[in-house]
Amino acid sequence: MSVQYDDLKDLVKNENQIMIDNIPDEYLTDTLKRLRGYADVVIKPTSTEEVSKILKWAYEREVPVTPRGAGTNLVGSTVPDHGGIVLDLSLMNHILELDYETLTATIEAGVLLQDFQQYVEEKGLFYPPDPGEKTASIGGNISTNAGGMRAVKYGVTRDYVMGLEIVLADGRILNVGSKNIKDSSGLSLKNLIVGSEGTLAIITKCILKLIPKPEISISVVVPFDSLESGLESVLTIIKENANPTAIEFVERKVIKLGEAFLKLSFPYPNAQAYIILTFDGKKDEVSANLSRIKEVVLHKSALNFIILDDKKLSENVWKIRSVLVKAVEAVSEQEPVDIVVPINKTLEFIKYVNKLEKETEMQMVSFGHAGDGNVHLCVVRGNRVESEWIKEKHENMAKLYSKAYELGGITSGEHGIGLTKKEYFLNETKNINLELMRKIKSDFDEKHILNSHISYNL
Amino acid sequence: MSVQYDDLKDLVKNENQIMIDNIPDEYLTDTLKRLRGYADVVIKPTSTEEVSKILKWAYEREVPVTPRGAGTNLVGSTVPDHGGIVLDLSLMNHILELDYETLTATIEAGVLLQDFQQYVEEKGLFYPPDPGEKTASIGGNISTNAGGMRAVKYGVTRDYVMGLEIVLADGRILNVGSKNIKDSSGLSLKNLIVGSEGTLAIITKCILKLIPKPEISISVVVPFDSLESGLESVLTIIKENANPTAIEFVERKVIKLGEAFLKLSFPYPNAQAYIILTFDGKKDEVSANLSRIKEVVLHKSALNFIILDDKKLSENVWKIRSVLVKAVEAVSEQEPVDIVVPINKTLEFIKYVNKLEKETEMQMVSFGHAGDGNVHLCVVRGNRVESEWIKEKHENMAKLYSKAYELGGITSGEHGIGLTKKEYFLNETKNINLELMRKIKSDFDEKHILNSHISYNL
């Protein structure tokens, strides 16, 4: 049937929730703006009921729907590759309940991470997941099972999702999970939705687990004369049972880019690499852990142990750490990678990256979450012309993913697969696993209208 | 086709892995032995390859398969209701790898919880999930997403399953999950298998997360003059951020049964109810938390704060706590319930139970995991004749589940649904959720040969 997008106006409260002509470019792409799709209409629902009506309408007409939170993804998952509807959940950004007794919050999916973190911290509570991109929406964080800095101690987004309200492709609304802490009652549909990149259903509401806010949080910079010695120290730190919140690694050459980008200084410039640690919790506990780890790493190969008790200095260190992808991007186009390997393979993987960098003369900037084997790589274009860049980037990416899988690793630790990593993910994943994922996709969305071009989909 | 069970002998190494005639009664039931199925054959595979061959054989012939670990379940999930094959994984009980660098163990699914806990603790490591039944198999624990005492601090079995090797109904072998800490790479098939009660696939190998063993672990008995005051104190304790490992509640009248059953004494007999707390971790941390919680609960309505620093006394308290279901069962037949409600609804639920007990004159013994809203109830037969018992039990169970759902609760926190709770689970769960579970079942097992009569299945 011919699709009359104008009819959608009847399904929402206000006509200005819909854009049919002159759709702004931001709705057709992701943060990196390298891929562009096209859309017939952008709709901004304000309630679950509106989402339901819109999906029912789209399902009946087999119109593709690309859900979108804040559009901060890096892998093309908000690119409306097949046209149709861009479903922008940014107006569904209300905090609906803070339940002190169960330590849960119920919020709409479009709430931004930074707003939610600030809200709960002002009330003495804490939402541990802490991906670098604070302007992401919580719905987006759930859809990619976002990780971030604090995963070493606190786990990832999945660990804080207690329940979800979702809308199926055909418009039916259901709840998965609940405020209950334990659950052995049937298949865990909730855990299927977490990390499903908008391919199974639209998340409209989220029940999130909170914890009491830690008394203090202190970071430390530990400089090393090589990345190898730094990464070797990480396994020692983990075994010490000192419960670090974050363990990040970064090479001096990358820090320099961050310093230049922000015009800020990082401590101890005469090092080749750094481990940045955070400890949080009760004051006594944190200082006991700090002393113990200080002793351990200085006994190994650390050059110093710089406790960032100066608030300004601590902020600067984390600002520089958080800006690295942008700092690299400011110098040259780059392709972001967030491969994960088992934690004891991080060093071997980084060594491989360095070798590949030399062999191919393509710059590969690496840093990331040493505490959980989640390596962030920027594969840098430099001055390559378009055709060279595309060809060589593709060859190198294939090698990187292949090496990661050889080491027992996987494609993505927190960004998701989207469009840009799909080829590598499909290459490295067993057919039988993909077959099951695709069958499950059809269970939720038989007509394949929801983000059906990304991730595990054909 | 007519099924020749004798042919199965060709699929295993040794003929004595198969029992065709004179199948011992234990294979036809569960721990409680109230339900009985029938089986044509019991097979004990010794490898994943044997499991694969047996399933392929069964799938081609559409022979039902009932998987079985140690058979310790309480809900009839190992009852071979439709005949066919009982697949006993108890010979697959090898610890295959302890990886100190990634802090993971890889084991076969038939390893018993107690053996695994002992093994890792001897090596200075710790497997936190701690269900009461230590002779359960790890595969069984994963299939029910078992919880237990230490869930307050450490979470449940799901939180420690990093990867699984599974065999689909048609015999195909695959791996889900991995040793990687973060994962945003496609749908989480692993999380579907956890808690699926053997309905989707047979678990053959498990990669489990370990943590360093806590330095010390100390328990405390806190007596109260009513269960209400005890449960009110629980919310206060949780908000104190003192990181308790376990928070159990139990009424004096139940403790008495345990004391009589074991001929042991519980401290402070002149109380109506007790909260039992455990704290573990570093010595300083534990003693700081103990002092803080002592002050807080004595300031509320606690009658005392008995630190169990005497090893014998501590063991006795936990022995009594762990034996309660058996102690009740020794006096009369009973129906075990492990309803979960949001933690702030525990008291309301228990009050409802007490009211129902009075109204119906059916004894309902309650105790359980106060720290996570997981209430263990024994609904006691007393001297009712069979027909009365069945009728009244059924009426009361329906009321209990209905109340739990009204409070936002769910059917099971750790035992699973199996056969005995199926009716209540199906009654209280939305059709749309059941529909999705059943579609997923068919994705994994199109011919419905694996445990297809229990839980969410029709």
Side-chain angles (χ1 to χ4, degrees):
Chain A
M1 75 186 99
S2 119
V3 178
Q4 298 298 322
Y5 287 100
D6 269 335
D7 294 352
L8 282 164
K9 289 178 182 162
D10 302 333
L11 307 184
V12 294
K13 257 197 314 207
N14 197 316
E15 276 206 9
N16 64 19
Q17 291 170 238
I18 296 193
M19 288 180 268
I20 296 187
D21 302 314
N22 303 318
I23 291 173
D25 189 59
E26 60 177 289
Y27 290 100
L28 309 178
T29 185
D30 64 3
T31 300
L32 293 176
K33 305 204 186 319
R34 293 202 255 282
L35 296 170
R36 253 176 200 74
Y38 64 101
D40 297 292
V41 57
V42 173
I43 316 184
K44 301 184 176 197
T46 58
S47 68
T48 304
E49 291 62 38
E50 285 184 358
V51 173
S52 167
K53 283 188 214 163
I54 295 161
L55 288 184
K56 189 169 183 289
W57 186 96
Y59 197 73
E60 281 166 1
R61 290 159 183 79
E62 299 194 27
V63 170
V65 175
T66 303
R68 177 184 181 89
T72 59
N73 76 92
L74 294 161
V75 296
S77 38
T78 55
V79 174
D81 222 24
H82 293 170
I85 296 171
V86 169
L87 192 73
D88 175 353
L89 291 140
S90 61
L91 297 181
M92 292 185 64
N93 62 349
H94 299 92
I95 293 173
L96 304 173
E97 185 199 58
L98 186 63
D99 182 344
Y100 286 93
E101 292 196 327
T102 57
L103 288 184
T104 59
T106 304
I107 68 173
E108 289 181 321
V111 172
L112 302 189
L113 175 62
Q114 61 189 11
D115 296 341
F116 184 57
Q117 283 182 337
Q118 194 192 330
Y119 176 85
V120 300
E121 289 182 33
E122 278 167 9
K123 314 241 181 253
L125 297 171
F126 195 57
Y127 177 67
D130 194 35
E133 180 52 72
K134 315 296 181 210
T135 64
S137 72
I138 295 286
N141 278 185
I142 294 172
S143 297
T144 54
N145 186 23
M149 317 287 185
R150 299 196 287 235
V152 184
K153 177 169 178 178
Y154 291 112
V156 295
T157 301
R158 180 183 302 283
D159 301 309
Y160 294 85
V161 178
M162 300 197 63
L164 297 171
E165 179 190 76
I166 58 175
V167 184
L168 295 188
D170 62 11
R172 287 184 293 168
I173 302 165
L174 70 154
N175 292 288
V176 294
S178 65
K179 281 190 186 174
N180 297 290
I181 296 173
K182 287 178 174 173
D183 186 346
S184 300
S185 306
L187 303 182
S188 181
L189 301 175
K190 174 190 79 180
N191 273 297
L192 263 184
I193 302 298
V194 178
S196 64
E197 300 186 71
T199 61
L200 298 184
I202 303 295
I203 300 169
T204 45
K205 284 178 196 153
C206 326
I207 305 174
L208 301 170
K209 173 181 163 180
L210 303 170
I211 62 172
K213 190 176 167 193
E215 221 169 86
I216 54 162
S217 174
I218 290 185
S219 294
V220 182
V221 167
V222 192
F224 291 89
D225 60 10
S226 75
L227 183 59
E228 281 80 355
S229 0
L231 288 175
E232 276 160 11
S233 291
V234 168
L235 290 179
T236 317
I237 293 170
I238 289 174
K239 275 186 211 145
E240 269 303 307
N241 201 8
N243 213 6
T245 309
I247 312 179
E248 297 289 306
F249 75 96
V250 61
E251 287 180 274
R252 175 69 207 158
K253 62 182 184 190
V254 194
I255 287 293
K256 272 190 198 161
L257 297 173
E259 288 179 320
F261 186 76
L262 288 177
K263 302 195 181 12
L264 289 173
S265 298
F266 199 87
Y268 209 96
N270 297 322
Q272 289 303 308
Y274 308 92
I275 301 291
I276 313 173
L277 298 167
T278 302
F279 294 87
D280 70 4
K282 295 209 185 55
K283 218 170 160 178
D284 295 352
E285 197 186 315
V286 168
S287 55
N289 285 330
L290 275 174
S291 328
R292 210 145 48 84
I293 293 301
K294 181 176 179 177
E295 205 185 305
V296 167
V297 296
L298 288 178
H299 185 72
K300 299 225 16 155
S301 51
L303 303 173
N304 206 328
F305 190 84
I306 305 159
I307 297 178
L308 305 175
D309 37 19
D310 178 81
K311 203 182 158 212
K312 192 76 200 157
L313 181 61
S314 180
E315 273 175 22
N316 287 352
V317 161
W318 283 109
K319 269 187 196 159
I320 293 173
R321 165 61 190 88
S322 297
V323 86
L324 294 179
V325 175
K326 281 181 191 154
V328 176
E329 179 90 10
V331 178
S332 161
E333 187 181 333
Q334 53 85 34
E335 184 66 31
V337 171
D338 76 316
I339 280 173
V340 198
V341 291
I343 185 164
N344 60 337
K345 303 292 183 191
T346 315
L347 181 56
E348 190 175 343
F349 183 69
I350 297 288
K351 281 184 178 169
Y352 176 80
V353 172
N354 289 341
K355 191 171 136 269
L356 191 65
E357 184 178 26
K358 273 194 196 125
E359 281 171 17
T360 61
E361 290 175 19
M362 182 171 279
Q363 198 191 355
M364 294 179 194
V365 176
S366 62
F367 54 90
H369 311 307
D372 50 37
N374 189 191
V375 176
H376 287 296
L377 270 183
C378 299
V379 177
V380 179
R381 174 168 176 174
N383 53 13
R384 284 171 179 78
V385 298
E386 184 74 9
S387 60
E388 266 177 22
W389 165 235
I390 289 175
K391 182 173 164 288
E392 291 177 37
K393 177 181 70 172
H394 184 265
E395 284 166 9
N396 288 336
M397 296 290 268
K399 281 180 191 162
L400 289 168
Y401 284 108
S402 162
K403 183 67 184 181
Y405 273 80
E406 181 194 318
L407 296 173
I410 51 175
T411 316
S412 168
E414 45 192 29
H415 297 171
I417 304 302
L419 283 174
T420 57
K421 298 188 218 149
K422 183 173 160 177
E423 178 188 341
Y424 312 108
F425 176 68
L426 297 184
N427 273 344
E428 304 292 349
T429 305
K430 294 269 191 325
N431 281 333
I432 183 167
N433 294 58
L434 293 172
E435 177 192 317
L436 287 168
M437 291 182 199
R438 288 170 187 157
K439 283 182 177 174
I440 291 166
K441 162 71 177 171
S442 296
D443 297 339
F444 280 78
D445 173 17
E446 205 183 330
K447 293 186 180 172
H448 288 226
I449 67 164
L450 287 177
N451 253 8
S452 299
H453 51 297
I454 69 163
S455 191
Y456 55 86
N457 288 295
L458 274 174
Chain B
M1 75 185 103
S2 118
V3 177
Q4 299 298 321
Y5 287 99
D6 269 334
D7 294 352
L8 282 165
K9 289 178 181 162
D10 302 333
L11 306 184
V12 293
K13 258 196 317 208
N14 197 315
E15 274 205 10
N16 64 20
Q17 291 170 239
I18 296 194
M19 288 180 267
I20 296 186
D21 301 316
N22 302 317
I23 292 173
D25 190 59
E26 62 179 286
Y27 290 100
L28 309 179
T29 184
D30 65 2
T31 300
L32 293 175
K33 304 201 186 321
R34 292 201 255 280
L35 295 170
R36 256 180 196 73
Y38 65 101
D40 296 293
V41 57
V42 173
I43 317 183
K44 301 184 176 196
T46 59
S47 68
T48 304
E49 290 62 37
E50 285 184 359
V51 173
S52 168
K53 284 187 214 165
I54 295 161
L55 288 185
K56 189 169 184 293
W57 186 95
Y59 197 72
E60 281 166 3
R61 290 159 184 78
E62 299 192 29
V63 171
V65 175
T66 303
R68 178 185 180 87
T72 58
N73 76 91
L74 293 160
V75 295
S77 35
T78 54
V79 174
D81 222 24
H82 293 169
I85 296 171
V86 169
L87 192 72
D88 175 352
L89 290 140
S90 61
L91 297 181
M92 291 184 65
N93 63 350
H94 300 91
I95 294 175
L96 305 173
E97 185 200 58
L98 186 62
D99 182 343
Y100 284 93
E101 293 196 326
T102 57
L103 287 184
T104 59
T106 304
I107 68 172
E108 289 182 321
V111 171
L112 301 189
L113 175 63
Q114 60 188 10
D115 296 340
F116 184 58
Q117 283 182 336
Q118 193 192 331
Y119 176 85
V120 300
E121 289 183 33
E122 278 167 8
K123 315 243 182 250
L125 297 171
F126 194 58
Y127 177 67
D130 195 35
E133 180 53 71
K134 314 298 180 208
T135 65
S137 72
I138 296 286
N141 278 184
I142 294 172
S143 297
T144 54
N145 187 22
M149 317 287 184
R150 300 196 287 235
V152 185
K153 177 170 179 178
Y154 291 111
V156 294
T157 300
R158 181 183 301 282
D159 301 307
Y160 294 86
V161 179
M162 299 197 62
L164 296 171
E165 179 191 75
I166 59 175
V167 184
L168 295 189
D170 62 12
R172 288 184 293 170
I173 301 165
L174 72 155
N175 292 288
V176 293
S178 64
K179 280 189 186 175
N180 297 289
I181 295 173
K182 287 178 174 171
D183 187 344
S184 300
S185 306
L187 303 182
S188 182
L189 301 175
K190 174 190 80 180
N191 273 298
L192 263 183
I193 302 298
V194 178
S196 64
E197 299 186 72
T199 60
L200 298 184
I202 304 294
I203 300 169
T204 45
K205 285 178 196 152
C206 325
I207 305 174
L208 301 170
K209 174 180 162 180
L210 303 171
I211 62 170
K213 191 177 165 190
E215 221 171 85
I216 56 162
S217 173
I218 289 184
S219 294
V220 182
V221 166
V222 191
F224 292 88
D225 61 9
S226 75
L227 183 60
E228 281 78 354
S229 359
L231 288 176
E232 277 159 12
S233 291
V234 168
L235 289 179
T236 317
I237 293 170
I238 289 174
K239 274 186 212 146
E240 269 303 307
N241 200 7
N243 212 6
T245 309
I247 311 179
E248 298 289 308
F249 76 94
V250 59
E251 286 180 276
R252 175 70 206 158
K253 64 182 182 189
V254 194
I255 287 292
K256 270 190 199 161
L257 297 174
E259 288 180 320
F261 187 75
L262 289 177
K263 302 194 178 19
L264 289 173
S265 298
F266 198 88
Y268 209 98
N270 297 322
Q272 289 303 308
Y274 308 93
I275 301 290
I276 314 173
L277 298 167
T278 302
F279 294 87
D280 70 5
K282 295 209 185 57
K283 217 170 161 177
D284 294 353
E285 194 187 316
V286 167
S287 55
N289 285 331
L290 275 174
S291 328
R292 210 145 47 86
I293 293 301
K294 180 176 180 176
E295 206 186 304
V296 166
V297 297
L298 288 177
H299 185 73
K300 299 225 20 156
S301 51
L303 302 174
N304 206 329
F305 190 84
I306 304 159
I307 297 179
L308 304 175
D309 37 19
D310 178 82
K311 203 182 156 212
K312 192 78 201 157
L313 181 60
S314 180
E315 273 175 22
N316 288 352
V317 162
W318 283 108
K319 270 188 197 160
I320 293 172
R321 165 61 190 89
S322 298
V323 85
L324 295 179
V325 175
K326 282 180 191 155
V328 176
E329 178 90 12
V331 179
S332 160
E333 186 179 332
Q334 52 86 34
E335 185 67 30
V337 170
D338 76 318
I339 278 172
V340 197
V341 291
I343 184 164
N344 60 337
K345 304 291 183 190
T346 316
L347 180 57
E348 189 175 344
F349 183 70
I350 297 288
K351 281 184 178 168
Y352 177 81
V353 171
N354 289 340
K355 191 173 136 262
L356 191 65
E357 183 177 27
K358 274 195 197 126
E359 281 172 17
T360 61
E361 290 175 19
M362 182 171 280
Q363 197 189 356
M364 294 179 195
V365 176
S366 62
F367 53 92
H369 311 307
D372 50 36
N374 189 192
V375 177
H376 286 297
L377 270 183
C378 299
V379 177
V380 180
R381 174 168 176 172
N383 53 14
R384 285 171 178 78
V385 297
E386 184 74 9
S387 59
E388 267 176 21
W389 165 234
I390 289 175
K391 182 174 164 288
E392 291 178 37
K393 176 180 70 171
H394 183 266
E395 285 165 9
N396 288 334
M397 296 290 268
K399 282 180 192 161
L400 289 168
Y401 285 108
S402 162
K403 183 67 184 180
Y405 273 80
E406 181 195 318
L407 295 173
I410 51 175
T411 316
S412 168
E414 45 191 30
H415 296 172
I417 303 302
L419 282 175
T420 57
K421 298 187 217 151
K422 183 172 160 176
E423 178 188 340
Y424 311 108
F425 176 69
L426 297 184
N427 272 346
E428 303 293 348
T429 305
K430 296 269 191 320
N431 281 334
I432 183 167
N433 295 57
L434 293 172
E435 178 192 316
L436 287 169
M437 292 182 198
R438 288 170 188 156
K439 283 182 176 174
I440 292 166
K441 162 72 176 173
S442 296
D443 297 339
F444 280 78
D445 173 17
E446 205 183 331
K447 293 188 181 171
H448 288 224
I449 67 165
L450 288 177
N451 252 8
S452 299
H453 50 297
I454 69 164
S455 190
Y456 57 86
N457 288 294
L458 274 172

